[in-house]
Amino acid sequence: MDFTPSTYKSLLMALQSAGYQFITFEDYCRMTEQERTQRRFVILRHDVDAKPKNSLRFAQIENSLSIRASYYFRIVPESNQPDIIRHIAALQHEIGYHYEDLSLKNGDMGKAIQAFRKHLDYFRRFYPVATICMHGAPTSPYDSKDLWETNNYRDFGIIGEPYFDMDFDEALYLTDTGRCWDGFRFSVRDKVPQQEEWSRMGLTFHSTKHIIRWLERGWKRGEPLCNLMITTHPQRWTPWPLAWIKELVLQTTKNIIKSYIINHRK
Ligand SMILES: [Zn+2]
């Protein structure tokens, strides 16, 4: 079965065997251009949309392998569980804010930026938050990134937002959106412009096993492997067969709805 915590652990171990250095997104933002080109790194980004307990499980697995990752929490109760945030921070991971203020405030820029400030202050009680990441909210008509058309997150002491500050010409982006690794075609907002070129280069993977095989082949042949940003939504990764089936059905249905939204917008 794919998308279980043990598959995730296998992926981490394959990345370790391939010689990847694990950095947080905050580390990446603080690195110099020279450091970025000298190291082969992977950034593990976790968007905690719901079921934060699953994220804690991921955080523990990573910690057992001496790996640090970046966890982005939403302000809503299905994500924001103080005890879990505290626990994940104590495991040496980065905590960031998974913001959606513009959609929470129905597009009102003034109200949204006030809410953003308040929510950022809240998360800074747990960790000195330095990076943020937009929550996609596919069914909302508002794109929360638009908040930065008239505001600057750097004024809030934020040094990075992956959709603006990650150079995807120097790192391949893999995301489990739609509960597969090639679901970007179903994604309303979680996409980067380089995706089409990667597809042409054959750098697309359906299952976690495909990624592991690609890594194994690369390091056995001594081929240069590219830098990576791997985004997961740990709520989709479950060890329980019933929850696993439920998640599969739900994601398949969601993909159909998202395809409709994408085609409808064209
Ligand atoms: Zn999200």
Side-chain angles (χ1 to χ4, degrees):
M1 274 197 311
D2 203 351
F3 298 98
T4 67
S6 65
T7 332
Y8 183 63
K9 192 173 181 178
S10 313
L11 175 64
L12 294 179
M13 286 170 22
L15 288 161
Q16 279 187 327
S17 305
Y20 275 95
Q21 187 180 2
F22 294 80
I23 58 169
T24 61
F25 181 57
E26 184 179 351
D27 294 334
Y28 171 84
C29 295
R30 296 190 196 282
M31 268 157 65
T32 61
E33 282 297 316
Q34 202 189 3
E35 284 173 324
R36 285 181 191 174
T37 50
Q38 280 169 352
R39 298 184 193 172
R40 185 171 50 194
F41 61 80
V42 53
I43 300 165
L44 302 171
R45 178 184 126 199
H46 303 299
D47 291 358
V48 188
D49 284 358
K51 297 187 191 165
K53 264 191 190 157
N54 288 23
S55 288
L56 177 58
R57 178 95 191 90
F58 266 38
Q60 287 164 331
I61 293 171
E62 288 156 349
N63 186 260
S64 73
L65 297 168
S66 306
I67 290 170
R68 292 179 65 228
S70 303
Y71 286 82
Y72 292 92
F73 282 88
R74 297 169 67 196
I75 196 69
V76 296
E78 61 255 46
S79 169
N80 171 14
Q81 299 285 326
D83 286 348
I84 291 180
I85 303 173
R86 232 172 264 127
H87 201 144
I88 293 180
L91 293 168
Q92 308 303 314
H93 297 295
E94 179 192 1
I95 304 294
Y97 176 31
H98 201 33
Y99 67 97
E100 55 190 308
D101 300 281
L102 199 58
S103 64
L104 290 176
K105 297 293 175 193
N106 292 316
D108 184 321
M109 285 282 193
K111 280 186 185 162
I113 199 71
Q114 275 178 21
F116 175 82
R117 184 189 298 272
K118 194 175 119 197
H119 297 153
L120 183 63
D121 285 345
Y122 166 79
F123 284 111
R124 282 181 169 156
R125 288 190 225 158
F126 303 94
Y127 183 91
V129 176
T131 75
I132 54 170
C133 174
M134 174 265 321
H135 170 63
T139 52
S140 166
Y142 303 104
D143 186 332
S144 281
K145 291 199 293 300
D146 292 348
L147 192 57
W148 312 122
E149 282 176 3
T150 51
N151 299 279
N152 188 344
Y153 47 78
R154 293 183 198 275
D155 296 340
F156 297 84
I158 294 299
I159 59 168
E161 208 295 5
Y163 293 99
F164 298 104
D165 300 297
M166 184 80 209
D167 184 353
F168 289 107
D169 286 329
E170 61 179 41
L172 174 68
Y173 185 59
L174 297 174
T175 171
D176 69 351
T177 297
R179 212 157 184 272
C180 53
W181 294 101
D182 52 3
F184 42 85
R185 59 186 186 276
F186 301 122
S187 184
V188 179
R189 298 207 170 98
D190 183 18
K191 34 169 109 207
V192 296
Q194 287 84 347
Q195 219 104 47
E196 275 180 29
E197 197 190 325
W198 293 333
S199 298
R200 272 198 299 275
M201 291 164 72
L203 289 169
T204 50
F205 310 94
H206 185 65
S207 71
T208 311
K209 256 196 193 132
H210 283 146
I211 304 175
I212 294 174
R213 254 186 255 136
W214 171 69
L215 290 166
E216 283 175 348
R217 218 178 30 229
W219 95 67
K220 280 179 187 155
R221 291 184 189 167
E223 286 167 5
L225 290 159
C226 48
N227 295 329
L228 297 168
M229 176 182 256
I230 301 180
T231 295
T232 71
H233 299 77
Q235 82 267 14
R236 298 186 185 141
W237 297 64
T238 163
W240 313 112
L242 204 63
W244 192 90
I245 291 164
K246 197 178 135 200
E247 197 52 46
L248 178 71
V249 173
L250 190 75
Q251 282 307 320
T252 310
T253 316
K254 262 194 183 172
N255 287 347
I256 294 167
I257 295 168
K258 282 183 186 173
S259 295
Y260 174 78
I261 294 173
I262 291 166
N263 292 329
H264 198 70
R265 278 191 187 159
K266 274 176 193 164

